[in-house]
């Protein structure tokens, strides 16, 4: 099987690559903004395009509850539903259900949980997660996993990891039997595409496009090349030997990409780094490696330098809604009174649409006045910062300057205002 | 004194005109979106430019409380503070204070009120309102007025109207003595502008501009031609003879434009129309006539047809946040369950950035899920609808087809879904 990842340059363990997905080719290392319910909170899709977002993450658990995967399937899949032509990855629902704490019951068969929306009872199994993720139709989907809390005993971590391995097999089996049910599958056909004269997916997705016509032009579906890719997730808590065993079991199933899950669950940052560092060498070099749920700007630089290709995190978007901006000079709490008459841009080194137009004083005013525009502009800036950070990491890999980039990011992390 | 309004075509009493303001020339009849606290809730300024918004309304009462007019003056005025280079109008604060009900005390000198933000006590006088509005530096500012409730006795209406007339004189006197204190006044100088080679203000403000550089380029201040214009406000409740007396008294003061205030205070729509109809002929034909706080799309068409040049209303933006969309086919409550799988654009006849990209099903999903993007997209569409409506009114005046346009709007008003 040919890998969906092609590597174009390396700098130490770091890799500059392209991941082929049905909707576009993604330049890696890549940061994926989180669009939980089919929307990056407060930001219209054309602005995400202008920010050069290549791939969004959607949350299976949330989309299953609202508007429901069958509704999305009927409407042509998540891309079409949310009018987003670039790539999407959906998580398995495992982590979200894990976060419900008191509302869930785990067994070998799957997880029973109660909806945070209306308290209704639901049951996720590996098969159900696949069914939902196929209906949503993301480019990359994730095997159903259990994510353990931290700290956790070795015994509990082992049992959970072993069950996650069995769930990975069940996920893979269901996916292989049903992958043709993806809402856009009928159009996945090279000859059709060529016949209709549509261009192949854009490389890198970097060009801002004309306003999407997805909804109005059904033939656009014939853009798609290839099928969904199902990734496996390495678990094993904070135990390197369990991580190794998890990786070994997953590799037997030959996934097109592998994620490291079960991190960012409250463990110290140094431990996160150690687990990533010890797990990465266990994963095939020629396939995408995805660390789920990380991190701060300096962390995503560090992990990319260690050889991670994909990362996602709610941090830039959630922090924005709480008035925390990430800048080239460190973190900035925009509600701070000392910004009340500060006429500088949020980040004088940033060229985003927020920093090239608005002042710190204006953003502070919006935030302290409870104006909706505060979250919108803060989110746009934070995403620009994260995406610029990854763009400069990719540039540094190409030019062999990643070591310098990494120490610069680490220095910035110690500043805040 | 030359009028700031030039009339280029008429169709019955309706007029197609241009109002010259320091920041741009405004094509009339014009609808002014409300940007209470220096922001149209949820919508970034570059999108307002893309929508061809020519002039925004800011609320003096709100900006006085947050961030404070002295802060805004120090930062170069409201345009610069909110990075908006097109025109702005500020209200007098009278209507807002009137809305506070229990929290205010009116006397000949002015109005004592308590802040809705922190309960602190403040005092607005005509002079204070002028001082604040000069500091904010809007292109058009309003005389301080009292707005009576509805219904109100003739005696109370007369007393209030007479006081408003005296306040208008005090407003005018203060303004004339202090108008040079506007934050951008030093730059109001033709020869400076010509010397620095800056272009004159754009006509109609219709061209989307490059991202604003206001903050970074102080010399842009020399764009401005002319001074702030102070408009008088006709009051008199629902009594046409009191309206006439109010107009007569204001005309003695020779304002560059006149507003009809005290409407949209709970009176039936037919009464609003009657008062506008009987008051308009009392106002000079060669000066702008502004009806404050109206209305539904069919109303703004009707009032423009009657000869109104300017209108503002929170309706398109506030309704949007409650899921009510205005379309060419009538009103649409986007949270209605029957839109759950509706793949049509919100308004198939609308070419706005929302209707050309998203479906009703998606907008409904965003709204019922409480996603911040719902308010953003609904607001963008409603503003586009209002601005398109006024654009087509202007076109109809030019081509003499306003009668047809008006009856079409009235028909649409009876449809809703």
């Amino acid at each position: 099987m040919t890998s969906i990842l092609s590597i174009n340059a390396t700098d130490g363990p770091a890799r500059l690559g392209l991941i082929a997905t049905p909707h576009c080719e993604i330049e890696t290392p890549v940061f994926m903004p989180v669009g939980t319910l089919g929307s990056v909170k407060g930001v219209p899709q054309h602005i995400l395009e202008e920010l050069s977002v290549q791939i969004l993450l959607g949350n299976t658990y949330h989309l299953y509850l609202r508007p429901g995967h069958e509704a999305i399937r009927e409407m042509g899949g998540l891309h079409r539903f949310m009018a987003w032509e670039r790539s999407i990855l959906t998580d398995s629902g495992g982590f979200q259900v894990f976060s419900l704490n008191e509302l869930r019951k785990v067994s070998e068969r799957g997880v029973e949980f109660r909806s945070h929306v209306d308290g209704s009872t639901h049951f996720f199994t590996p098969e159900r997660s696949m069914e939902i993720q196929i209906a949503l139709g993301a480019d990359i989907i994730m095997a159903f996993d259990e994510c353990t809390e931290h700290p956790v005993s070795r015994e509990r971590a082992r049992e959970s990891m072993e069950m996650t391995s069995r769930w990975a097999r069940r996920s893979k089996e269901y996916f292989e039997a049903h992958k043709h049910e993806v809402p856009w599958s009928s159009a996945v056909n090279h000859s059709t595409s060529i016949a209709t004269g549509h261009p192949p997916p854009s490389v890198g997705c970097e060009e801002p496009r004309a306003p999407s016509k997805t909804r109005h032009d059904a033939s656009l579906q014939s853009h798609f090349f290839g099928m969904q890719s199902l990734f496996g997730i390495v678990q094993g808590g904070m135990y390197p030997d369990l991580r190794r065993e998890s990786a070994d079991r997953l590799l037997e199933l030959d996934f097109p990409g592998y994620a490291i899950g079960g991190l960012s669950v409250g463990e110290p940052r140094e431990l996160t780094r150690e687990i990533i560092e010890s797990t990465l060498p266990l994963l095939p070099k020629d396939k995408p490696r995805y660390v789920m749920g990380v991190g701060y700007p300096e962390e995503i630089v560090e992990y990319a330098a260690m050889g991670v290709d994909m990362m996602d995190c709610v941090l830039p978007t959630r922090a924005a809604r709480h008035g925390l901006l990430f800048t080239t000079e460190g973190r900035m709490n925009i509600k701070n009174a000392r910004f009340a008459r500060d006429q500088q841009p949020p980040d004088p080194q940033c060229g985003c649409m927020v920093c090239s137009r608005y002042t710190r004083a204006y953003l502070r005013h919006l935030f302290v006045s409870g104006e909706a525009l505060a979250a919108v502009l803060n989110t746009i800036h934070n995403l620009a910062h994260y995406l610029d950070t990854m763009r400069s990491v990719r540039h540094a890999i190409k030019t062999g300057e990643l070591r310098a980039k990494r120490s610069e990011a680490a220095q910035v992390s110690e500043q805040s205002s």
Side-chain angles (χ1 to χ4, degrees), chain A residues 29 40 59 141 146 165 184 193 222 238 250 343 377 380 414:
Chain A
V40 174
N59 288 122
I141 69 177
E146 190 191 25
S165 303
W184 35 267
S193 279
S222 56
M238 306 301 157
L250 287 178
Q343 302 242 53
L377 297 182
I380 292 172
E414 285 159 27

Side-chain angles (χ1 to χ4, degrees), chain A residues 13 22 40 49 51 80 92 133 142 145 152 209 216 248-249 263 274 282 297 303 381 404 415:
Chain A
V40 174
E49 288 173 350
L51 289 170
R80 196 163 170 179
S92 70
Q133 291 188 76
M142 304 303 297
D145 61 329
V152 70
R209 300 184 186 193
H216 304 298
D248 287 347
R249 292 182 186 216
L263 299 178
E274 279 175 28
L282 311 174
Y303 302 153
H381 166 75
Q415 295 161 22

Side-chain angles (χ1 to χ4, degrees), chain A residues 41-44 46-47 317 319-323 325 334 346 353-355 357-382:
Chain A
K41 294 192 190 308
V43 184
H46 77 277
I47 292 183
T317 43
R321 298 196 298 279
H322 291 96
L325 300 181
I334 199 65
M353 65 179 77
V354 177
C355 290
R357 179 157 197 157
Y358 305 100
T359 61
R360 294 172 182 175
Y362 183 64
L363 293 191
R364 176 185 186 267
H365 163 67
L366 294 178
F367 191 86
V368 300
S369 304
E371 283 290 293
L373 190 58
V376 175
L377 297 182
N378 292 349
T379 302
I380 292 172
H381 166 75
N382 275 356

